[in-house]
Amino acid sequence: MLELTMASVSGEDAGATAGMLMADAPSDPGSVLRVGRDKSVCRLATPDDWLFVSRVHLEFQCGPDGGWQVTWLRGSHAEPSSEVLLTLAGLAAQPLPYGGTAKLPRGGSGELIIQDRTAPRSVNVGFFHEV
């Protein structure tokens, strides 16, 4: 099972956890969880006016072996309006490249932070992959 939590944070709300959203999916091959502005396909949706987040920004997908990976999907623009940082438990944050994919550790946890390049706001997506 993959469990996700999401909080949309603006500068004045830094550190707040109010309004946190949660989603989960079984570790069955082909299972997918998406994060973005499009509520029709994303289980975790950000505010509509946060245009630094794509309609479908992050896609978590379970592979044939029950392992999960996350992809920062490329949008319609050549350059994104945000940056995405990936932090795995106990390790320093690393940038996730635009269009890039990272494997999530089994039984591990971490966080992805989608940062607006033009304003002090972010979308923080925590994850825990149960074994």
Side-chain angles (χ1 to χ4, degrees), residues 1 4 10-11 28 30 42 45 47 52 59 62 65-66 75-76 78 82-83 93 101 106 114 116 126:
M1 167 127 0
L4 301 179
S10 59
D28 296 334
C42 295
F52 70 97
E59 182 175 82
C62 185
D65 64 350
S76 58
S82 63
E83 297 175 338
T101 298
R106 289 180 185 268
I114 305 168
D116 188 343

Short mmCIF file of all heavy atoms in Angstrom, two decimals, residues 1 4 10-11 28 30 42 45 47 52 59 62 65-66 75-76 78 82-83 93 101 106 114 116 126:
data_model
loop_
_atom_site.label_atom_id
_atom_site.label_comp_id
_atom_site.label_asym_id
_atom_site.label_seq_id
_atom_site.Cartn_x
_atom_site.Cartn_y
_atom_site.Cartn_z
N MET A 1 0.85 -1.16 0.00
CA MET A 1 0.00 0.00 0.00
C MET A 1 0.90 1.23 0.00
O MET A 1 1.92 1.27 0.69
CB MET A 1 -0.90 0.00 1.23
CG MET A 1 -1.57 1.31 1.47
SD MET A 1 -3.36 1.41 1.69
CE MET A 1 -4.00 -0.16 1.56
N LEU A 4 -0.38 8.59 0.77
CA LEU A 4 0.06 9.95 0.48
C LEU A 4 -0.68 10.94 1.36
O LEU A 4 -1.85 10.75 1.67
CB LEU A 4 -0.23 10.32 -0.98
CG LEU A 4 0.39 9.48 -2.08
CD1 LEU A 4 -0.05 10.00 -3.45
CD2 LEU A 4 1.90 9.47 -1.97
N SER A 10 1.33 28.31 1.82
CA SER A 10 1.81 29.60 1.34
C SER A 10 2.69 30.20 2.43
O SER A 10 2.72 29.71 3.54
CB SER A 10 0.65 30.52 0.97
OG SER A 10 -0.18 30.73 2.07
N GLY A 11 3.42 31.24 2.10
CA GLY A 11 4.41 31.83 3.00
C GLY A 11 3.92 32.04 4.41
O GLY A 11 4.59 31.67 5.38
N ASP A 28 -0.78 -2.97 -6.00
CA ASP A 28 -1.13 -3.88 -7.07
C ASP A 28 -0.55 -3.33 -8.37
O ASP A 28 -0.65 -2.13 -8.63
CB ASP A 28 -2.66 -3.99 -7.22
CG ASP A 28 -3.34 -4.59 -6.00
OD1 ASP A 28 -2.67 -5.36 -5.26
OD2 ASP A 28 -4.52 -4.28 -5.78
N GLY A 30 0.05 -1.71 -11.69
CA GLY A 30 -0.82 -0.83 -12.47
C GLY A 30 -1.57 0.20 -11.64
O GLY A 30 -2.18 1.11 -12.20
N CYS A 42 -7.01 13.46 -10.60
CA CYS A 42 -6.05 13.51 -9.48
C CYS A 42 -6.75 13.21 -8.16
O CYS A 42 -7.75 13.86 -7.83
CB CYS A 42 -5.38 14.87 -9.40
SG CYS A 42 -4.37 15.24 -10.85
N ALA A 45 -5.78 17.03 -5.14
CA ALA A 45 -5.87 18.19 -6.01
C ALA A 45 -5.49 19.46 -5.26
O ALA A 45 -5.89 19.67 -4.12
CB ALA A 45 -7.27 18.32 -6.59
N PRO A 47 -5.12 23.83 -5.11
CA PRO A 47 -6.02 24.93 -5.46
C PRO A 47 -5.98 25.23 -6.97
O PRO A 47 -4.91 25.19 -7.58
CB PRO A 47 -5.48 26.10 -4.64
CG PRO A 47 -4.80 25.45 -3.47
CD PRO A 47 -4.21 24.18 -4.02
N PHE A 52 1.37 27.14 -10.92
CA PHE A 52 2.70 26.54 -10.97
C PHE A 52 2.63 25.02 -10.88
O PHE A 52 3.61 24.32 -11.11
CB PHE A 52 3.61 27.12 -9.88
CG PHE A 52 3.26 26.71 -8.47
CD1 PHE A 52 3.92 25.66 -7.85
CD2 PHE A 52 2.27 27.38 -7.77
CE1 PHE A 52 3.61 25.28 -6.55
CE2 PHE A 52 1.95 27.02 -6.47
CZ PHE A 52 2.62 25.96 -5.86
N GLU A 59 2.83 11.68 -10.86
CA GLU A 59 2.11 10.42 -11.00
C GLU A 59 2.89 9.33 -10.27
O GLU A 59 4.06 9.09 -10.56
CB GLU A 59 1.96 10.05 -12.47
CG GLU A 59 1.18 8.76 -12.67
CD GLU A 59 0.92 8.46 -14.13
OE1 GLU A 59 1.84 7.91 -14.78
OE2 GLU A 59 -0.18 8.80 -14.60
N CYS A 62 2.48 1.91 -9.52
CA CYS A 62 2.97 0.65 -8.98
C CYS A 62 3.37 -0.25 -10.14
O CYS A 62 2.60 -0.48 -11.08
CB CYS A 62 1.89 -0.02 -8.13
SG CYS A 62 2.47 -1.52 -7.31
N ASP A 65 6.33 -5.58 -9.94
CA ASP A 65 6.88 -6.23 -8.74
C ASP A 65 6.30 -5.68 -7.44
O ASP A 65 6.74 -6.04 -6.35
CB ASP A 65 8.41 -6.09 -8.72
CG ASP A 65 8.85 -4.63 -8.62
OD1 ASP A 65 7.99 -3.71 -8.75
OD2 ASP A 65 10.05 -4.40 -8.40
N GLY A 66 5.31 -4.77 -7.53
CA GLY A 66 4.71 -4.18 -6.34
C GLY A 66 5.47 -2.98 -5.81
O GLY A 66 5.10 -2.40 -4.80
N GLY A 75 4.62 18.92 -18.81
CA GLY A 75 3.41 19.63 -19.20
C GLY A 75 3.52 20.18 -20.60
O GLY A 75 4.38 19.77 -21.39
N SER A 76 2.70 21.18 -20.90
CA SER A 76 2.67 21.76 -22.24
C SER A 76 3.77 22.80 -22.45
O SER A 76 4.00 23.23 -23.58
CB SER A 76 1.30 22.39 -22.50
OG SER A 76 1.02 23.36 -21.52
N ALA A 78 7.83 24.11 -22.23
CA ALA A 78 9.19 23.56 -22.28
C ALA A 78 9.88 23.69 -20.92
O ALA A 78 10.64 22.82 -20.53
CB ALA A 78 10.00 24.27 -23.36
N SER A 82 7.70 25.48 -11.71
CA SER A 82 8.00 25.02 -10.36
C SER A 82 9.28 24.20 -10.36
O SER A 82 9.85 23.91 -11.42
CB SER A 82 6.84 24.18 -9.82
OG SER A 82 6.69 23.02 -10.61
N GLU A 83 9.68 23.83 -9.16
CA GLU A 83 10.76 22.88 -8.96
C GLU A 83 10.21 21.78 -8.07
O GLU A 83 9.33 22.03 -7.25
CB GLU A 83 11.94 23.55 -8.24
CG GLU A 83 12.58 24.66 -9.04
CD GLU A 83 13.67 25.39 -8.26
OE1 GLU A 83 13.66 25.34 -7.02
OE2 GLU A 83 14.51 26.01 -8.92
N ALA A 93 17.55 16.41 0.54
CA ALA A 93 16.65 16.63 -0.59
C ALA A 93 17.44 16.66 -1.90
O ALA A 93 18.52 17.22 -1.96
CB ALA A 93 15.88 17.92 -0.41
N THR A 101 11.83 10.39 -13.33
CA THR A 101 11.19 9.36 -12.52
C THR A 101 12.15 8.92 -11.42
O THR A 101 13.35 8.84 -11.65
CB THR A 101 10.81 8.15 -13.40
OG1 THR A 101 9.88 8.57 -14.40
CG2 THR A 101 10.19 7.02 -12.59
N ARG A 106 10.87 0.47 -0.77
CA ARG A 106 9.86 -0.37 -0.10
C ARG A 106 9.99 -0.18 1.40
O ARG A 106 11.09 -0.19 1.93
CB ARG A 106 10.09 -1.83 -0.45
CG ARG A 106 9.75 -2.18 -1.86
CD ARG A 106 10.02 -3.67 -2.09
NE ARG A 106 9.80 -4.03 -3.46
CZ ARG A 106 8.63 -4.47 -3.93
NH1 ARG A 106 7.61 -4.61 -3.14
NH2 ARG A 106 8.51 -4.77 -5.21
N ILE A 114 6.73 20.50 -4.21
CA ILE A 114 6.57 21.25 -5.44
C ILE A 114 6.63 22.72 -5.05
O ILE A 114 5.75 23.22 -4.36
CB ILE A 114 5.22 20.95 -6.12
CG1 ILE A 114 5.05 19.45 -6.35
CG2 ILE A 114 5.09 21.74 -7.43
CD1 ILE A 114 3.64 19.04 -6.75
N ASP A 116 6.81 26.76 -5.98
CA ASP A 116 6.56 27.81 -6.97
C ASP A 116 7.86 28.59 -7.16
O ASP A 116 8.50 28.96 -6.18
CB ASP A 116 5.45 28.72 -6.45
CG ASP A 116 4.97 29.74 -7.46
OD1 ASP A 116 5.67 30.00 -8.46
OD2 ASP A 116 3.87 30.29 -7.24
N GLY A 126 3.74 14.02 1.24
CA GLY A 126 4.44 13.00 1.99
C GLY A 126 4.00 11.63 1.52
O GLY A 126 2.86 11.46 1.07
#
